[in-house]
Amino acid sequence: MPLPADLIVINARILTMDDANPRAEAIALSGGRIAAVGARDDILALKGAETRIVDAGGASVLPGFIESHIHMFGGAEELGHLQLAGIEGFEALKASLSAHAAAHPDEPLLVGNGAGYTIISEDEPLTRHHIDRIVADRPVALVGADHHTCWANTRALEMAGILHGKTVNPGNEVVMGTDGLATGELRETEAMSPVLHLGGPNRSHLGIETGGEPDPAPTAAEWEADKTIMRRGLAHAAKHGITSFHNMDGNLYQLQLMKALEEDGTITVRGQVPYHFKKPMTLADLEKASEMNRRYNSEWVSSGMVKVFMDGVLESGTAFLVEPYADRPDWLGEPYFSNEEFAELATEIDRRGLQIAVHAIGDGAVRRVLNGYEAAQKANGVRDSRHRVEHVELITEEDMPRFAELGVIASMQPPHPPGGMCFPLEPTISRIGEKRRYLAYAWRRIKETGAALAFSSDWPVSPIDPIAGIHAAVTRKPWEDGDPDHSVSLLDAIAAYTIGSAYAEFAEDRKGMLKPGYFGDLVILDDDIEAVEPERIRDMRPRMTVCGGRVTYEA
């Protein structure tokens, strides 16, 4: 006799994402795994004296969402910052920042997150002088929604020692004005870090800034505070139906935090944390990535990946393109690695049996990454490596089929196309230009080549909500008449947030589907996602999230 179920969900519209059994009306969980999926009466036969019965009321039940590109620790810490998403115009910025400054008189650095590139207007860029008119006597940093640019006031630039500029590596820039002083715009990590560090050790951002460990090591109180921050981020994810995430910055410290939560029983979302390779690291430093993979490989906390950046972003002109920017005909952007450097790096990571995930937004960066993966295959032989390209916001026709040919995963973000869910049309559309606009954010085209596709938010760059991402993917409209339709079907969008993302972490045999023996990870929505009008999908909310058979969120 099978053991009684711990949890049974009935009267559900279950989308299993399992082609062998695509739909069901009830599901039973036992011992943290799925015990059975099927008809109501068959599943209720597994009821025991302690079984919890949940009536879904005809709403959808899906595999737990798998967020395949996220910055968990940093995003969790930023939940307490000033939120600037949706703020437009100087007066609105003044009101918001002034109120935040008054409410936080002792903050060593006032930080706002989610600033748009056109927060003042489409014609007037934000500078230190705007911020000085609001707060001049305290350091201020307003971080762009994409986290690749921030704007600092004069006080912050002075305290950071960069008012007169700073020498940085290619792809990074302290933007200078005609007066010989910094304008306040800081592009990419090396330029931003001196200002952001005015707020303190910033341990939550070490994984993306340096890939290194806290120095000095945190005190016992700081360790407990960081665990609380991580729990807050996981709870935020669980509230949105997420049961697993792939972090896209990493260090040993984040793995230690996650493992501590696993050991004390407070972990609520499964997480994969990579080793973040950054210059001036060397190939010998990759041994740390291998060690992280050996030490962390449980059902809840794992590593096994190396994250790399190849370029920046289109909005600031730091993405690397094959042909010049439409609005800057003398500028391609600067890649972080030469073809030879990245081919050598990819070959060594691949030789170690590790997965590679590379931020590549411009079509030049995407090509350089694919070239490196091809070089690794030639050097090491073809294996099931499932290397990834993160974002792929532009691609050339020539490189479109290479994802499928090389077995590379396209990891893309439905919230990101300008004019859609999160970001304004400008300046991105003008940067791309009419000539190559049809190859921008081309999810459908890439999928149609047979490539594996994983969807995500890139939180805190975009809202963490997978349902909003599904809505954005399904309802996406062409920018102009004649532009191709890059929207995807509802089932394809759900797949990219579930089984597609499970495949991206070699976990399609245990998560991403609702199937007996798989992890007990699921989300119950408050309506039938197949029955509502597409425009109403974004209004749906998770009613319950279950991870490992435990309820991790309940409305």
Side-chain angles (χ1 to χ4, degrees):
M1 288 287 293
L3 292 174
D6 300 315
L7 177 71
I8 287 176
V9 182
I10 59 171
N11 297 333
R13 299 276 297 172
I14 298 176
L15 294 176
T16 68
M17 311 314 294
D18 176 7
D19 290 340
N21 181 35
R23 297 171 188 276
E25 60 183 7
I27 186 169
L29 309 182
S30 179
R33 299 267 178 165
I34 297 173
V37 183
R40 180 180 188 275
D41 291 346
D42 293 339
I43 299 302
L44 282 175
L46 300 175
K47 179 180 179 296
E50 303 298 323
T51 302
R52 179 178 178 181
I53 306 294
V54 176
D55 189 331
S60 295
V61 174
L62 310 176
F65 296 125
I66 301 173
E67 243 288 351
S68 64
H69 186 124
I70 198 172
H71 302 277
M72 179 58 74
F73 194 19
E77 194 266 340
E78 288 178 15
L79 288 171
H81 290 174
L82 170 64
Q83 302 302 312
L84 295 172
I87 298 293
E88 296 181 358
F90 178 79
E91 291 303 322
L93 175 61
K94 179 180 179 180
S96 183
L97 179 55
S98 297
H100 184 76
H104 298 83
D106 299 323
E107 287 290 326
L109 174 69
L110 293 169
V111 182
N113 286 99
Y117 282 81
T118 56
I119 192 169
I120 301 299
S121 75
E122 290 192 4
D123 301 318
E124 185 179 4
L126 177 63
T127 70
R128 62 186 170 94
H129 302 295
H130 292 105
I131 308 173
D132 289 347
R133 287 163 54 193
I134 305 170
V135 178
D137 59 343
R138 300 171 62 186
V140 178
L142 306 182
V143 182
D146 57 21
H147 288 66
H148 286 261
T149 301
C150 84
W151 296 266
N153 66 350
T154 303
R155 181 64 177 146
L157 296 168
E158 289 173 338
M159 291 176 64
I162 61 173
L163 181 60
H164 296 275
K166 174 180 169 62
T167 301
V168 291
N169 282 311
N172 300 264
E173 183 180 3
V174 176
V175 179
M176 303 301 292
T178 56
D179 60 358
L181 300 177
T183 67
E185 182 174 341
L186 308 171
R187 298 174 179 172
E188 303 299 332
T189 300
E190 286 185 41
M192 296 160 59
S193 293
V195 165
L196 295 177
H197 285 177
L198 296 174
N202 210 23
R203 290 183 301 275
S204 64
H205 287 74
L206 276 177
I208 196 164
E209 288 184 358
T210 70
E213 309 305 325
D215 184 17
T219 64
E222 289 171 335
W223 167 255
E224 291 301 323
D226 287 347
K227 285 169 62 179
T228 298
I229 290 172
M230 187 68 84
R231 285 193 196 98
R232 184 171 66 211
L234 298 184
H236 186 65
K239 181 179 179 179
H240 290 88
I242 295 168
T243 54
S244 291
F245 69 92
H246 308 160
N247 222 47
M248 282 297 144
D249 65 83
N251 55 4
L252 182 61
Y253 187 62
Q254 291 189 61
L255 284 164
Q256 292 168 335
L257 286 171
M258 289 286 292
K259 189 66 178 179
L261 302 189
E262 180 185 7
E263 291 175 347
D264 70 18
T266 61
I267 195 167
T268 52
V269 185
R270 308 177 195 275
Q272 180 185 29
V273 178
Y275 174 76
H276 194 169
F277 185 95
K278 301 197 71 168
K279 290 182 175 181
M281 293 175 179
T282 67
L283 298 185
D285 291 315
L286 291 169
E287 179 56 29
K288 182 177 178 181
S290 294
E291 179 62 21
M292 288 164 63
N293 183 45
R294 287 189 288 267
R295 289 172 57 183
Y296 296 93
N297 54 16
S298 76
E299 294 179 357
W300 289 92
V301 184
S302 63
S303 188
M305 180 193 292
V306 177
K307 171 68 186 300
V308 185
F309 274 80
M310 182 56 76
D311 69 345
V313 294
L314 290 162
E315 291 87 342
S316 65
T318 53
F320 176 50
L321 307 185
V322 170
E323 296 182 1
Y325 282 75
D327 61 346
R328 294 181 64 184
D330 59 343
W331 180 246
L332 295 171
E334 293 179 304
Y336 293 2
F337 296 88
S338 69
N339 271 309
E340 295 73 22
E341 287 173 330
F342 183 71
E344 183 180 31
L345 175 61
T347 298
E348 175 58 19
I349 299 171
D350 182 76
R351 185 192 68 78
R352 290 174 174 270
L354 300 171
Q355 190 180 26
I356 312 170
V358 184
H359 168 116
I361 279 183
D363 51 11
V366 172
R367 175 171 294 177
R368 188 155 294 188
V369 173
L370 293 173
N371 288 346
Y373 291 164
E374 186 172 4
Q377 285 192 359
K378 289 178 179 177
N380 300 329
V382 177
R383 67 179 180 89
D384 184 16
S385 57
R386 304 189 198 180
H387 297 321
R388 304 166 48 142
V389 183
E390 307 300 315
H391 305 306
V392 200
E393 294 188 358
L394 274 180
I395 189 171
T396 64
E397 287 283 6
E398 297 88 339
D399 291 321
M400 187 79 71
R402 297 179 71 195
F403 280 83
E405 291 168 1
L406 295 170
V408 173
I409 292 163
S411 171
M412 305 180 75
Q413 292 72 43
H416 284 192
M421 174 179 155
C422 291
F423 302 109
L425 285 170
E426 297 296 349
T428 311
I429 288 296
S430 293
R431 300 265 194 268
I432 294 170
E434 185 177 356
K435 176 182 175 182
R436 59 188 160 207
R437 194 172 60 211
Y438 78 105
L439 292 169
Y441 310 88
W443 318 315
R444 180 189 283 190
R445 282 285 307 279
I446 292 174
K447 179 175 174 52
E448 287 172 348
T449 68
L453 186 65
F455 277 165
S456 59
S457 69
D458 195 12
W459 185 69
V461 171
S462 303
I464 199 171
D465 187 4
I467 297 173
I470 290 169
H471 171 266
V474 170
T475 63
R476 182 177 167 192
K477 303 293 190 297
W479 290 303
E480 299 285 349
D481 291 342
D483 285 350
D485 181 1
H486 286 310
S487 66
V488 298
S489 71
L490 175 62
L491 289 181
D492 281 346
I494 294 172
Y497 275 104
T498 55
I499 190 60
S501 291
Y503 179 83
E505 64 166 304
F506 298 88
E508 74 277 12
D509 62 341
R510 55 194 181 275
K511 65 169 77 169
M513 288 194 289
L514 298 178
K515 182 176 181 177
Y518 276 50
F519 291 154
D521 300 354
L522 59 83
V523 56
I524 305 173
L525 304 183
D526 62 2
D527 206 337
D528 181 354
I529 197 169
E530 293 183 283
V532 303
E533 291 295 322
E535 286 296 340
R536 285 192 53 230
I537 290 173
R538 63 185 167 197
D539 299 325
M540 298 178 66
R541 306 297 341 131
R543 173 182 160 192
M544 178 181 287
T545 306
V546 180
C547 188
R550 291 187 288 123
V551 175
T552 53
Y553 169 75
E554 188 168 5

